Every structure is written in structure tokens, then in C-alpha cells.
Amino acid sequence: MPDFSELASYLRAQIDLDSDQLYSDEPWTWAPPSAQPAVQPAATFTAPKPAPSFKPGFAPSAPRPAPAPAPKPRPAFTPAAKIVIPESAKSAIPSAYETADSLEKFYELVAAEKLYAKTPFIRGEGNLNKPRLLLVVYSPLPKYLENGYAKSDVGEMVARMFGSLNVKPEDIGVTYFCKKQVSRMVLPQVALVFKKMLEKEVSLIQPQTVIFFGDKLLKQALSQNNVKVVDFGGKPLEFAKTQATAMIDPEEMLTNRQLKLVTWKIQIPKCGFFG
């Protein structure tokens, strides 16, 4: 009868894991059969042993079964090593837009980048020459492109909110983190490029204060990954050597009066940028 003791021990170990999953020590990989037939080892000749002689009155003992061959050790699973690109292998050549000495030249060079190839490029609007406030929106919505962000329903609401703080509409500029329409958050690698572009843009616009709207910008522009803007918003920060803070997305405030109150009563006083 076959010996299933090893299989029984293995299954008991799986039960001890208290899981409905079956774990295997070996990787689940498929190996194609070899094209050449396996070579059978040549048979070796063994001389027959002489028959044992028995004394009268003694019965021969039953032959003992040959011991089972020891099981072959299972191959250890080695996970694939993570590929790390050394710093020395990364390109040190600056992008063309980094050499821009004016905002117009900056927009011209950024629009030529591969990230914006074959897509409508959306520039900033409003006062882009040392404004009191530079508002950063994640990406343009179709309604912003009709008559501009300032004339949209959310833009008018934002203008009224900051107008109550003695900030005139002509003292406000607006730009986009992603200067094209996107349907979802961009990948982290792309966000790093957009952040670098925005830093250059801010250095050329030279605003007094930068306001970032929404959780997406809190994470990808300000590198605050483990917080929500509803709780974190209003904290004084710095971006491109300029005072900055994050606030709730005005699109959410537009449909939720409670969020508008959080912005007005908590986040705006918290940052201390408005006297």
C-alpha cells in the first residue's frame, strides 16, 4: 500500500493555517516538455544470489520489503529581484521649459512636451503677473473652457468668497496642474513631471500666495499622502518658495454647503494669509 504520511502531514499544515486558500512551497510555473525523449539508464547485470539453505525443522522467514527511496528535496522559491535604476543612469539633461525666461515662452515649450502631444493645451488665465492669489485647479472641465474658469459657476463662487476677504477678481490668477482634460488622477510618475512644471510656472508668475484645490493636488502637488483636505486644509505650506495652502475643491463646495462653511470658518482663518 502506498505511503501517504507525507501528504497527510502537508494537509494538516494547511488546516493549521486556518485559511480557505491552498499554499504551495513550489512556484506555479509551467515547463514545456523536452523535445528529446528521456534517455533510459542502461540495465545493469546483477548476479543471482545463491538460494539459502535451511535446516530441517526451521521455516524460512518472510523477506523484508525494500525501504522506500527518500523524497527529493523541493526546490526553494526565489522571488524576482526588484530592478532599481541607479541615479547615475538617469538623465541629467534639463527639459527645454526649464530654460524659459518668460511665461509665454514657458507655455510654448511645455505645450511641445510629449505629455501634451495631440491634446488641447490649456494655459492659465486671469492675472498671471504677480497676483495676490494663484489658484491651482487639478485639470480643466469642459465648462471651464467655454468662457474661462472665472465665468463658470464655480469660478464666480470662488470670486465671491475671496472678494469677502478684500481680494479683487483682478488680483487672482488661475492655472491647472494638468493642462489638459483628464478623466482620472494621473500616474505618480506623470504627476512628478507636472509638479516640476508647476514649480517653474509659479516662479515665473510670482504670486503672493498659491491655493491648491482638492485632495488630488494635496497628494500629487504637495506630497501629503496620508491626509484629507477636509482635515488638513488651511495649514500654511510652501511651494516653489511661495507661501501656499490647500482648500476643499470648489466643485464639492458648490453642492455641499457644509464644506463651504468648513472652508470659510476653519481653513481660511487657519492659514493666516488673509489678515
Side-chain angles (χ1 to χ4, degrees):
M1 182 176 180
D3 183 7
F4 293 106
S5 60
E6 183 180 356
L7 176 61
S9 300
Y10 173 74
L11 294 176
R12 279 196 297 269
Q14 297 299 316
I15 295 173
D16 291 340
L17 290 175
D18 192 23
S19 172
D20 57 357
Q21 302 294 321
L22 185 64
Y23 298 90
S24 173
D25 294 336
E26 300 178 0
W28 292 93
T29 56
W30 176 79
S34 175
Q36 298 179 354
V39 178
Q40 298 294 333
T44 56
F45 174 78
T46 305
K49 296 181 179 180
S53 59
F54 303 102
K55 295 180 179 181
F58 290 90
S61 59
R64 295 181 180 180
K72 296 181 179 180
R74 295 176 179 175
F77 174 71
T78 304
K82 184 178 179 181
I83 299 176
V84 179
I85 301 176
E87 292 293 332
S88 59
K90 297 180 181 179
S91 175
I93 302 175
S95 300
Y97 68 84
E98 296 181 64
T99 64
D101 56 1
S102 68
L103 189 62
E104 185 64 28
K105 187 65 176 178
F106 168 80
Y107 284 143
E108 177 186 336
L109 294 174
V110 169
E113 291 284 327
K114 292 182 179 180
L115 287 171
Y116 291 112
K118 300 179 181 180
T119 58
F121 180 78
I122 313 302
R123 302 187 177 203
E125 63 176 82
N127 184 353
L128 300 178
N129 182 23
K130 299 181 180 180
R132 182 173 176 185
L133 293 182
L134 178 64
L135 311 181
V136 182
V137 182
Y138 192 77
S139 64
L141 297 179
K143 66 179 181 180
Y144 303 160
L145 305 180
E146 295 177 3
N147 298 305
Y149 181 87
K151 293 185 178 180
S152 66
D153 52 358
V154 70
E156 292 176 348
M157 180 196 71
V158 170
R160 290 193 299 269
M161 180 176 70
F162 288 118
S164 301
L165 299 169
N166 299 318
V167 181
K168 300 176 182 179
E170 54 265 30
D171 292 332
I172 298 176
V174 179
T175 193
Y176 299 100
F177 185 67
C178 309
K179 294 174 174 55
K180 63 179 180 179
Q181 295 187 57
V182 294
S183 58
R184 59 181 66 88
M185 282 182 68
V186 299
L187 296 174
Q189 298 91 329
V190 178
L192 289 175
V193 178
F194 284 157
K195 180 180 179 180
K196 190 175 182 180
M197 291 177 175
L198 184 61
E199 289 173 341
K200 178 64 177 180
E201 185 179 12
V202 169
S203 70
L204 293 171
I205 295 175
Q206 299 180 23
Q208 181 178 331
T209 301
V210 184
I211 305 292
F212 293 91
F213 284 136
D215 284 303
K216 295 177 182 178
L217 288 174
L218 184 64
K219 178 178 180 179
Q220 294 193 332
L222 297 174
S223 303
Q224 303 294 329
N225 297 317
N226 301 318
V227 292
K228 294 290 186 181
V229 73
V230 68
D231 304 313
F232 187 86
K235 182 175 180 179
L237 301 168
E238 184 179 280
F239 183 86
K241 299 180 181 179
T242 305
Q243 67 179 15
T245 193
M247 293 184 183
I248 296 171
D249 189 338
E251 289 291 342
E252 297 180 21
M253 287 192 276
L254 192 65
T255 57
N256 189 328
R257 185 174 180 274
Q258 187 62 36
L259 293 179
K260 189 185 300 183
L261 292 176
V262 171
T263 303
W264 179 256
K265 293 187 175 182
I266 298 177
Q267 296 184 350
I268 288 177
K270 183 179 178 180
C271 68
F273 296 158
F274 300 97

